[in-house]
Amino acid sequence: MNVNGQPTRTIAPLPDCSGVVIIDQTRLPFRYESLTLRGLADAAEAISAMQVRGAPLIGATAAYGVALALNEGADLEAACATLAATRPTAVNLAWALARMKAVLAPLPAGERRAAAWAEAAAICDEDVELNRAIGRHGAGLIRAVAGRKPGPVNVLTHCNAGWLATVDWGTALAPVYAAFDAGVPIHVWVDETRPRNQGASLTAWELQQHGVPHTVIADNAGGHLMQHGKVDLCIVGTDRTAANGDVANKIGTYLKALAAHDNGVPFYVALPGPTIDWTLADGRAIPIEERRAEEVTCLSGETEAGEVVTVRVTPTGSPAANPAFDVTPARLVTGLITERGVCPAGRDGLLALYPERA
Ligand code: MRU
């Protein structure tokens, strides 16, 4: 996707494989800054501090983290264990590490380093193609709505499941970009997504970069908009989808799905194959990350003087809880948009698209 008119991926190796360049997402939307990861510790810190975030990008960064670790002569198993411990919910992390291990472990030590860089690059290139296909399939749903009503198609999304959350294109936003680029009139309601405001900070920023009409709303506004016919469909991403179609996504997704269900608004979840955890029969066992209370008690923003500051919004001493994800049961999901097509959210629907998993 374009940043200031330049085609940009969220992660890219240096040509001499001495480092990996990322966009520091903790600085957006106020500052657009890149950062070079030079070793295993940098990669692990980038994931846990959320300089990179979003399930597919976490997986891609972990893959490059392994390559960086091998540059430093680190042990493969130990490096994977360090990276695996960074964040618990997005299954793409474990998926990418398992893939790296499967390719690298059988190789002689002297061949592993070059193979790690090649495999990480392959994971990134594949992610772009998976998301492009999700965009194609999801755009069909948006086009179908456009054919039934005048004016723009109003899509509501939660968190950031756009190109910043992947290597390129995004998952939930890939259909939006594909439809917009094809000339379908579209407008996106962007949930602010407290506590870290990925919607207000990241989704709004990337939609603006691409020129897609959008409006940021407080998280609590979605139900009201749905009651008044102002949302045609919801599309969100997911960090881990169980084999029965239950989906874990950013905290607050479940409430949006309930509101959509109550108002007859279609609720779609967009995901690439690596986000499906076939080992989990349902969503109850998905590990939910608990993050620091300060993400709830404090907010960051830019002053009129252009300084980025953090302020507290709760009384000193009030405790805060910060579950970062929730699980939406498959029964509230209208359909799953994957790189292989759109299916009903359920075991049969998923197996129809991924028969090799039967
Ligand atoms: O905590 P985050 O910002 O990593 O959470 C991201 C999300 O919840 C996304 O919706 C999800 O990873 C899907 S991204 C394509």
Side-chain angles (χ1 to χ4, degrees):
M1 305 300 285
N2 289 345
V3 180
N4 303 325
Q6 289 297 317
T8 307
R9 280 188 177 189
T10 53
I11 188 163
L14 290 175
D16 65 357
C17 294
S18 64
V20 176
V21 181
I22 59 161
I23 299 166
D24 183 350
Q25 299 193 20
T26 62
R27 309 282 286 160
L28 288 170
F30 311 113
R31 309 278 186 272
Y32 176 71
E33 289 173 3
S34 56
L35 191 68
T36 303
L37 311 178
R38 295 282 179 186
L40 170 64
D42 286 353
E45 172 66 14
I47 297 171
S48 49
M50 295 178 65
Q51 288 167 323
V52 291
R53 26 68 51 206
L57 183 56
I58 290 170
T61 307
Y64 274 122
V66 172
L68 289 168
L70 295 186
N71 276 6
E72 299 172 309
D75 173 69
L76 175 62
E77 276 296 330
C80 288
T82 300
L83 291 160
T86 50
R87 293 193 73 189
T89 303
V91 75
N92 306 58
L93 174 61
W95 170 86
L97 293 173
R99 175 163 159 176
M100 294 297 283
K101 270 197 271 191
V103 168
L104 301 176
L107 297 179
E111 290 176 23
R112 284 185 180 175
R113 199 173 130 193
W117 286 93
E119 195 62 19
I123 285 175
C124 289
D125 289 345
E126 285 170 32
D127 183 62
V128 176
E129 292 315 312
L130 294 177
N131 298 332
R132 205 192 301 275
I134 289 170
R136 234 183 6 255
H137 295 299
L141 299 169
I142 296 172
R143 216 176 286 116
V145 176
R148 292 198 296 268
K149 63 164 274 202
V153 177
N154 289 298
V155 176
L156 182 142
T157 194
H158 191 69
C159 193
N160 172 262
W163 70 267
L164 285 167
T166 65
V167 178
D168 207 348
W169 286 105
T171 56
L173 292 190
V176 168
Y177 290 126
F180 176 80
D181 289 350
V184 178
I186 191 162
H187 164 262
V188 183
W189 295 111
V190 178
D191 282 354
E192 172 186 37
T193 318
R194 275 283 280 151
R196 286 187 68 104
N197 286 334
Q198 287 94 328
S201 308
L202 304 177
T203 300
W205 182 80
E206 63 163 89
L207 289 173
Q208 192 178 62
Q209 290 293 324
H210 202 82
V212 179
H214 63 279
T215 307
V216 179
I217 50 172
D219 288 322
N220 296 329
H224 166 80
L225 294 173
M226 291 185 215
Q227 280 178 326
H228 289 82
K230 294 186 173 166
V231 180
D232 294 305
L233 71 165
C234 302
I235 312 180
V236 301
T238 167
D239 290 82
R240 192 185 295 234
T241 295
N244 73 336
D246 290 351
V247 292
N249 192 48
K250 183 52 55 192
I251 192 76
T253 301
Y254 171 50
L255 290 176
K256 291 298 137 64
L258 283 171
H261 188 71
D262 194 45
N263 289 284
V265 173
F267 189 91
Y268 287 97
V269 180
L271 65 144
T275 303
I276 306 168
D277 186 343
W278 295 97
T279 70
L280 295 185
D282 60 50
R284 284 174 298 182
I286 295 177
I288 300 295
E289 180 178 14
E290 272 289 334
R291 292 188 61 87
R292 292 180 308 118
E294 287 72 21
E295 292 182 352
V296 175
T297 59
C298 297
L299 273 174
S300 292
E302 192 178 40
T303 65
E304 276 187 17
E307 194 190 355
V308 179
V309 295
T310 299
V311 295
R312 198 178 59 243
V313 293
T314 57
T316 315
S318 277
N322 189 9
F325 298 92
D326 59 27
V327 175
T328 299
R331 69 185 159 78
L332 298 177
V333 178
T334 309
L336 301 171
I337 309 169
T338 78
E339 73 278 7
R340 296 192 186 180
V342 182
C343 70
R347 193 172 175 81
D348 291 348
L350 279 170
L351 286 178
L353 292 183
Y354 300 89
E356 73 275 19
R357 296 289 182 166

